[in-house]
Structure formats: C-alpha cells, structure tokens
Amino acid sequence: MSLVHSCQYSPEQRPILQLGSPGLRQIAQPIAAIGDPKIQQLVDDLLFTLRVANGVGIAAPQVGAACRLLVVASRPNLRYPEAPQMDPTALINPRWVAHGDERVKGWEGCLSVPGLRAQVPRYREIEVEYCDRQGRTQRQVWTGFVARIFQHEYDHLEGRMLLDRVDGPADIISESEYFAQIVGR
Ligand code: NI
C-alpha cells in the first residue's frame, strides 16, 4: 500500500448534514482503498471541518460520505474541563473489540443536532481496533469521555443518532438550558 501524505491536499470545510437528512440514517460501507486520494482528502476535510466547528468528534456520514471513517478529538473545554487532550485521531473501518459491563449516562451534543444536549448512556470502557490513515492496524482501550466520543461517532456509521439512545424526553434539553442548569451550577 502506498503512503499518501496529507500535505498534498488542501482541506476543505464540508457542510454538516442536519437531523432529518436521510444521509444520517444510512449504514456506512467499509473503506477498501485507504490510500485512495479521495479517502485521504476526506480525512483532511473531516479534521478541518471538526476544528472549525469546535467539535470533539465527527463521522463521515455527517458530511454525506457513507463510509466507515470517524474522527475522535477530545480536548478540555467548557463543557468537559476534565476531558483529556489528544491528537485528533482518524479511525478507518473501526470495530469494537470489547467493552466493560458498566454503562454511565453523560451529556452529549452533536454537530448534526445543534441547539440540543442529551444525556446518553454509554459504556465506560471500550477496546477498539481500526486502521489509521496509513493503513496500519491499531488497537486502543479508551475510558470515560473519549470512549463516549467513539461510541457516539460509531453510531453515526450505523445510522443512529444520540436522540435514539436517550432513556426518555426528560434527558433532552436545549443548549441554553444546558449551559444555565448544568454548566452554570
Ligand atoms: Ni454526532
């Protein structure tokens, strides 16, 4: 497999599909040729689009590309001051290897569902395997917030949204109420 360097491409900001778009409900297909310039461009575009949007994760279906690629990019912010700082990581053809028994509820937002926050139960600890953008197989154990981001983004590959996962309507609130009630208290 040939190595493709990301600096060959200039990243572009892509429009993010919004809740209700059929593209968000598709099952994403595995990526066969990781070295394909179109895939490398998509990786760069996702990283760039995520940074501009100030998000901590994004999945290819959110920009209308129905393929199994997502980015996890945790960093400390107002909502999650304890969130670990990590290099933004692109995961190609990710899969779950294992998860712990414990599930915990935590607040999430989604770039495809602006203005809302939802409390979503997720596994506290997961082990995942994926290909990096050079085509190398990688394995990671993630806990807490980073594990949560992965599970949220992985759902996008399966056509699932965070609102599908909530226990009930009381776990969905507006962003302004979230900042007033949850962050501000
Ligand atoms: Ni999302």
Side-chain angles (χ1 to χ4, degrees), residues 81-146:
E82 305 299 316
Q85 181 81 46
M86 64 186 284
D87 287 332
T89 304
L91 290 77
I92 296 166
N93 299 331
R95 65 183 192 88
W96 295 50
V97 178
H99 60 77
D101 293 332
E102 191 189 351
R103 292 204 306 162
V104 285
K105 271 193 190 181
W107 289 102
E108 297 179 14
C110 180
L111 296 173
S112 296
V113 192
L116 290 183
R117 290 287 187 277
Q119 225 179 355
V120 185
R122 303 282 188 191
Y123 291 108
R124 200 184 68 77
E125 184 173 28
I126 53 164
E127 182 173 7
V128 304
E129 192 177 83
Y130 63 94
C131 285
D132 65 20
R133 68 183 303 174
Q134 279 82 31
R136 297 173 302 216
T137 301
Q138 305 281 357
R139 221 174 235 240
Q140 285 281 346
V141 174
W142 278 326
T143 56
F145 187 57
V146 181

Side-chain angles (χ1 to χ4, degrees), residues 44-106:
D44 283 338
D45 290 355
L46 281 177
L47 290 166
F48 185 70
T49 302
L50 182 62
R51 198 166 66 232
V52 171
N54 241 345
V56 293
I58 194 168
Q62 290 183 275
V63 299
C67 61
R68 302 187 83 81
L69 161 62
L70 59 86
V71 172
V72 176
S74 172
R75 58 192 165 71
N77 58 28
L78 184 64
R79 286 180 281 156
Y80 303 100
E82 305 299 316
Q85 181 81 46
M86 64 186 284
D87 287 332
T89 304
L91 290 77
I92 296 166
N93 299 331
R95 65 183 192 88
W96 295 50
V97 178
H99 60 77
D101 293 332
E102 191 189 351
R103 292 204 306 162
V104 285
K105 271 193 190 181

